[in-house]
Amino acid sequence: KVSTDDPETAFCTLANREELNPEEDSIHHCLYQFTRNETLTETNKLLCDVCTQRHCGPKNNIKSEKKYIYTNAKKQMLISLAPPILTLHLKRFQHAGFNLQKINRHIKFPEVIDLAPFCTAKCKNVAEGNTKVLYSLYGVVEHSGTMRSGHYTAYVKMRAMNNHISDLVLRGPSQALETEPVKGQWFHISDTHVQPVSVSKVLSSQAYLLFYERLL
């Protein structure tokens, strides 16, 4: 979908991206790369309906010869609606010739993450004036093994019922200014085996899926 409602703010974000210096092999770097500004030229030019109509005239019918006009354009994918629950799925494979190869290196991820640099300036459910969209980590899925076989385990934070999340789902963002991680005990779950672990153990895992709940 091409948005032309407000071209002036089309590539603006809630927080200044220029101040970011995302570390390589980090979730911030992944998000920064995924939401970077791209220029579409040559074979990637955008089909412009306005330019085509201007060139062919408004009375052109379907049967007439129409010359479609393609133009250079800019493209950027940003978050327009901050979700109550944020799920990040890391691509842990790459093509090696005709085969797929698993990516085993550690990707750094924080206990609290700010999505504001990756949200559009007019994010629908962020209060005007807010420059932070904070999320607290509560679950991690890890995969060990190869592309052909392996084992999934999970890290889960046991915490008190979070009424803030229910409010976000039912009534939208509240005015609560929570900036700290939701308190609770982390557990490592592997089949029927469950044991308590430290947050440092969780943050050192090779995450495949990350689950965050919205704080602010």
Side-chain angles (χ1 to χ4, degrees):
K1 182 180 179 181
V2 179
S3 175
T4 56
D5 294 338
D6 192 352
E8 294 297 323
T9 60
F11 299 95
C12 295
T13 51
L14 281 174
N16 191 350
R17 290 170 64 90
E18 295 178 1
E19 296 177 359
L20 286 176
N21 186 22
E23 186 180 355
E24 201 73 44
D25 292 339
S26 70
I27 200 69
H28 286 96
H29 187 262
C30 294
L31 288 168
Y32 187 83
Q33 289 293 98
F34 188 76
T35 59
R36 73 186 187 279
N37 196 319
E38 300 177 63
T39 303
L40 305 178
T41 60
E42 299 179 355
T43 56
N44 291 320
K45 283 184 178 181
L46 183 72
L47 172 60
C48 179
D49 292 331
V50 176
C51 301
T52 299
Q53 188 175 17
R54 188 184 298 127
H55 180 271
C56 299
K59 295 183 179 180
N60 242 13
N61 57 52
I62 299 175
K63 295 182 180 179
S64 66
E65 293 186 7
K66 179 181 284 189
K67 181 180 179 181
Y68 293 101
I69 306 299
Y70 293 82
T71 182
N72 293 337
K74 289 196 299 182
K75 169 191 170 185
Q76 187 175 26
M77 296 180 67
L78 295 171
I79 298 168
S80 63
L81 185 70
I85 299 297
L86 173 69
T87 304
L88 299 177
H89 183 185
L90 278 68
K91 179 184 175 182
R92 283 210 168 268
F93 67 89
Q94 61 187 0
H95 290 276
F98 293 101
N99 299 318
L100 291 177
Q101 186 178 51
K102 187 184 174 187
I103 301 173
N104 286 312
R105 67 178 179 269
H106 175 65
I107 302 298
K108 296 181 180 178
F109 54 94
E111 197 174 358
V112 173
I113 190 169
D114 184 7
L115 279 193
F118 315 110
C119 291
T120 176
K122 293 190 174 181
C123 200
K124 297 181 178 66
N125 57 346
V126 176
E128 188 175 351
N130 277 8
T131 56
K132 288 185 179 295
V133 184
L134 301 179
Y135 287 82
S136 176
L137 184 71
Y138 74 90
V140 180
V141 172
E142 185 179 42
H143 178 267
S144 58
T146 66
M147 291 293 296
R148 295 182 178 276
S149 64
H151 181 57
Y152 289 96
T153 60
Y155 294 92
V156 179
K157 180 187 282 187
M158 182 179 177
R159 68 248 190 265
M161 182 177 177
N162 192 343
N163 293 324
H164 177 60
I165 296 298
S166 299
D167 291 339
L168 279 171
V169 173
L170 297 174
R171 291 182 285 277
S174 66
Q175 298 301 315
L177 299 178
E178 299 180 68
T179 58
E180 297 295 325
V182 176
K183 294 181 179 179
Q185 172 64 54
W186 281 97
F187 289 89
H188 183 227
I189 303 170
S190 178
D191 293 336
T192 59
H193 184 65
V194 180
Q195 65 176 4
V197 293
S198 64
V199 66
S200 61
K201 173 69 173 176
V202 177
L203 297 179
S204 65
S205 64
Q206 288 190 20
Y208 177 58
L209 290 166
L210 294 168
F211 299 90
Y212 287 87
E213 57 187 345
R214 190 170 172 187
L215 294 175
L216 174 64

